[in-house]
Amino acid sequence: MNRLYPVGIQNFEKIRREGYSYVDKTALLYQLVKTGQYYFLSRPRRFGKSLMISTLEAYFQGKRELFNGLAMESLEKDWTVHPVLHMDLNTRNYHDYESLLGILNQNLEGWEKLYGDEKKDRVPEERFMYVIQRAYEQTGHHVVILIDEYDKPMLQAITKPELQTEFRNTLKAFYGALKSCDAYIRFAMLTGVTKFSKVSVFSDLNNLRDISMVNQYAEICGISEEELHQYFEEDIQTLADKIGLRFEETCKQLQVNYDGYHFCYKSAGMYNPFSLLSTFANMQIGSYWFETGTPTYLVELMKLHHYRVDEIEHIVTSGPVLDSIDAASTDPVPVIYQSGYLTIKDYNAEFENYTLGFPNREVEQGFFRFLLPHYASVSTSKSPYEIQCFVGEVRKGDVDGFLSRLQTFFDDTPYELARDREVHYQNILYIVFKLMGFHTEVEYRTSRGRVDLVLKTSDYIYVMEFKLNGTAEEALQQIEEKGYSSAFAADGRKVVKVWVNFSDETRSIERWIVA
């Protein structure tokens, strides 16, 4: 097989002219353009938003030849050519206000060369409105506006309130031109990772239809199970041969690692297209999504609001919370969800609540791997090796070695974390044991009560209690009184009881006892 996979290629024309694999989404896009005018779509990064925008651009430019063999070819009869204003905000690092003005000016100057620059000395929103009007008047056709990654500046300033306010005010006015120029617009589409609301950029765009959680368009980005087998059946077999698994086993591996995104209740599970295509291009399963970008803004937000990491796997919330982000909010959950690190697992119709969880193994493991160096005293390059050492020591029964290594993770706890040190300790422990859980069995409860940690290997069962400024006697007494270890009496493995004390004074593990 010499198939071409469009890994990192987001230009529809390039994909079609050069023979890259393409999953046909044009029937959904036709439905979109024929039934509405203004749209917004939120999807995680690397999920096909830019390719969707590029496909719409080619369609509205009347490039019929690019759609040969696709659903759009038989659906569209007119192929009217419209002036298209396409702006991609993903191409710059927004570290200050001038960087945002720079990208707006760059796009406006390009459009003004085509349609007139009489307003070039005005503010960006006035120039934008003038370009839209002139494009309509010059061509005689209504204008199409496509804005990709509209929220990139807002996301990069999410922990800088003053800068975010500047970005928000500028973008709110700029995007507000869409409503003012309604008479000249045929179609408008904004995409992004997140949706900022309330006093944010969308407050004036009440004519914008948000299809992010609409079942009808749940499959507009990503690859469904049906599409996987329709377009990549031979690729799966080739992959199976390469990695030495049966076809069915390979399908299961792809599902466990890359499937599981649900953007509304009862929608089809969607595969991450970037990870799937990368797997076929390389003919090996890997963590591709995290290699192309990391959620630094998300970690900054979690640490800023002292978010307990363990709560991320027990989230039940409402649709309005998931649907939008208030720039002044202290809740990182909507950002975590909209960024693609959590997805919808269940829905309670009576209370209208959503249960969230990680979509797949790639996201779950990658998320905790990324978190570890941001919370513990370990470098990004060394953290995978440290987890390997942890697992090896636990499997051998080397408790002292394991806890000595863990102790180093708490060294140099910043002074500013003093008031939330207990949460900080809990976060490091949870991340470490979560990563170990990909290789060992980790539990947090027994029928007799809550144990801080139960860690199982093929030979050992560790019953562990963690205390802050406690005493050894208190911890051991609690383990004995609640009979935690007796819950595993019938198990043939050796039960090891471990007590660990953290000290406020040393800001680290002070002492441990093994019984």
Side-chain angles (χ1 to χ4, degrees):
M1 294 177 63
N2 294 307
R3 296 191 66 178
L4 297 175
Y5 303 97
V7 178
I9 299 175
Q10 302 165 349
N11 183 275
F12 176 72
E13 183 166 354
K14 179 180 178 69
I15 287 172
R16 296 296 290 165
R17 291 197 188 282
E18 298 183 15
Y20 286 90
S21 301
Y22 177 73
V23 176
D24 188 1
K25 301 286 186 179
T26 60
L28 275 175
L29 295 181
Y30 180 81
Q31 187 177 43
L32 195 74
V33 301
K34 294 301 181 182
T35 58
Q37 184 177 356
Y38 296 93
Y39 292 98
F40 169 75
L41 177 69
S42 167
R43 284 293 183 268
R45 61 182 176 80
R46 295 289 190 175
F47 225 86
K49 299 187 299 297
S50 297
L51 176 56
M52 180 193 69
I53 289 290
S54 179
T55 307
L56 286 168
E57 181 175 28
Y59 165 74
F60 280 114
Q61 288 175 338
K63 296 181 178 180
R64 183 174 185 172
E65 72 281 4
L66 299 179
F67 294 84
N68 289 339
L70 302 180
M72 186 73 82
E73 181 184 28
S74 59
L75 292 170
E76 182 57 70
K77 306 302 179 186
D78 297 331
W79 295 98
T80 303
V81 177
H82 293 269
V84 178
L85 305 180
H86 178 186
M87 181 168 70
D88 182 3
L89 292 183
N90 196 40
T91 58
R92 182 165 294 199
N93 180 24
Y94 300 94
H95 57 279
D96 56 22
Y97 183 64
E98 285 66 34
S99 58
L100 175 59
L101 285 182
I103 195 72
L104 295 181
N105 283 328
Q106 179 181 319
N107 281 276
L108 286 166
E109 287 166 4
W111 300 332
E112 286 167 342
K113 286 181 180 178
L114 296 174
Y115 304 115
D117 64 356
E118 287 82 355
K119 305 286 186 180
K120 64 181 180 180
D121 295 324
R122 303 289 183 91
V123 293
E125 59 269 24
E126 288 188 53
R127 294 166 65 189
F128 191 28
M129 285 189 286
Y130 181 74
V131 164
I132 294 171
Q133 181 180 345
R134 291 295 296 155
Y136 169 73
E137 291 171 348
Q138 285 187 24
T139 64
H141 293 289
H142 287 82
V143 181
V144 171
I145 298 168
L146 304 172
I147 300 177
D148 200 11
E149 304 291 357
Y150 92 97
D151 58 341
K152 181 76 175 289
M154 301 285 290
L155 269 179
Q156 290 195 344
I158 201 165
T159 59
K160 303 172 183 176
E162 291 183 4
L163 182 59
Q164 192 178 70
T165 298
E166 285 188 289
F167 285 167
R168 181 174 64 247
N169 291 340
T170 298
L171 291 174
K172 180 181 177 181
F174 189 81
Y175 297 141
L178 300 182
K179 191 171 183 180
S180 302
C181 294
D182 179 66
Y184 311 115
I185 296 174
R186 162 65 183 89
F187 181 88
M189 181 73 157
L190 283 76
T191 73
V193 170
T194 54
K195 181 183 177 183
F196 288 89
S197 66
K198 295 184 179 177
V199 294
S200 193
V201 295
F202 286 132
S203 56
D204 292 337
L205 287 177
N206 52 13
N207 58 341
L208 197 65
R209 184 187 177 194
D210 182 5
I211 60 172
S212 305
M213 297 181 72
V214 175
N215 206 314
Q216 180 184 6
Y217 296 108
E219 299 181 33
I220 201 165
C221 290
I223 297 174
S224 68
E225 186 75 33
E226 181 180 344
E227 289 169 335
L228 172 64
H229 291 281
Q230 178 184 349
Y231 291 96
F232 301 104
E233 194 82 351
E234 292 182 31
D235 308 76
I236 299 173
Q237 185 59 64
T238 303
L239 176 64
D241 295 339
K242 289 280 188 181
I243 63 178
L245 295 177
R246 291 185 293 110
F247 181 86
E248 294 76 13
E249 293 172 330
T250 304
C251 289
K252 184 63 178 177
Q253 284 293 308
L254 293 174
Q255 187 180 63
V256 166
N257 281 281
Y258 309 127
D259 192 15
Y261 291 90
H262 295 270
F263 300 107
C264 51
Y265 181 53
K266 288 189 175 179
S267 64
M270 300 301 291
Y271 285 80
N272 184 314
F274 181 81
S275 297
L276 206 55
L277 293 171
S278 297
T279 297
F280 291 139
N282 297 325
M283 281 298 153
Q284 63 184 41
I285 292 173
S287 297
Y288 298 106
W289 194 54
F290 266 85
E291 290 175 359
T292 62
T294 51
T296 304
Y297 66 89
L298 192 55
V299 177
E300 291 174 355
L301 191 65
M302 291 172 67
K303 294 180 75 172
L304 179 66
H305 300 301
H306 307 286
Y307 188 79
R308 281 185 53 178
V309 175
D310 62 307
E311 292 182 358
I312 201 170
E313 296 190 88
H314 308 282
I315 295 174
V316 178
T317 190
S318 66
V321 171
L322 295 183
D323 190 44
S324 60
I325 296 169
D326 177 4
S329 174
T330 59
D331 185 2
V333 169
V335 187
I336 299 171
Y337 165 74
Q338 292 184 18
S339 299
Y341 301 100
L342 293 175
T343 194
I344 295 169
K345 291 293 188 179
D346 199 6
Y347 178 69
N348 186 311
E350 179 182 359
F351 296 100
E352 299 182 335
N353 284 335
Y354 291 89
T355 299
L356 306 182
F358 289 105
N360 52 51
R361 181 186 176 96
E362 180 191 30
V363 174
E364 183 177 16
Q365 190 171 21
F367 185 75
F368 285 110
R369 279 179 176 172
F370 180 74
L371 286 184
L372 185 58
H374 288 268
Y375 283 89
S377 296
V378 59
S379 67
T380 301
S381 60
K382 288 184 177 180
S383 60
Y385 173 72
E386 294 290 342
I387 294 299
Q388 179 184 330
C389 291
F390 276 133
V391 173
E393 286 157 352
V394 168
R395 285 175 177 169
K396 291 187 299 184
D398 183 4
V399 181
D400 289 335
F402 166 76
L403 290 172
S404 294
R405 187 179 304 278
L406 185 62
Q407 189 176 41
T408 65
F409 276 42
F410 294 89
D411 291 344
D412 303 320
T413 299
Y415 179 77
E416 60 268 19
L417 291 172
R419 67 184 180 89
D420 293 285
R421 191 169 296 132
E422 190 167 2
V423 172
H424 184 68
Y425 294 154
Q426 289 171 343
N427 283 342
I428 294 177
L429 288 171
Y430 189 80
I431 295 167
V432 167
F433 290 121
K434 189 67 185 177
L435 287 169
M436 289 179 62
F438 288 102
H439 309 281
T440 59
E441 186 179 351
V442 177
E443 296 178 359
Y444 293 87
R445 296 181 186 274
T446 74
S447 60
R448 294 175 178 266
R450 195 183 197 286
V451 185
D452 284 349
L453 182 75
V454 176
L455 191 60
K456 298 179 181 180
T457 70
S458 58
D459 299 312
Y460 298 94
I461 297 177
Y462 298 89
V463 180
M464 307 181 75
E465 283 289 324
F466 301 95
K467 295 295 179 185
L468 179 63
N469 301 322
T471 66
E473 291 72 21
E474 289 173 350
L476 291 175
Q477 183 180 356
Q478 180 178 342
I479 292 176
E480 293 301 332
E481 283 181 354
K482 294 194 175 183
Y484 291 153
S485 58
S486 63
F488 310 105
D491 196 295
R493 288 170 286 190
K494 182 179 179 180
V495 178
V496 181
K497 293 174 283 188
V498 183
W499 170 81
V500 181
N501 183 57
F502 292 93
S503 167
D504 256 341
E505 186 176 342
T506 63
R507 302 209 296 270
S508 185
I509 294 176
E510 179 191 46
R511 185 185 177 198
W512 62 82
I513 296 176
V514 181

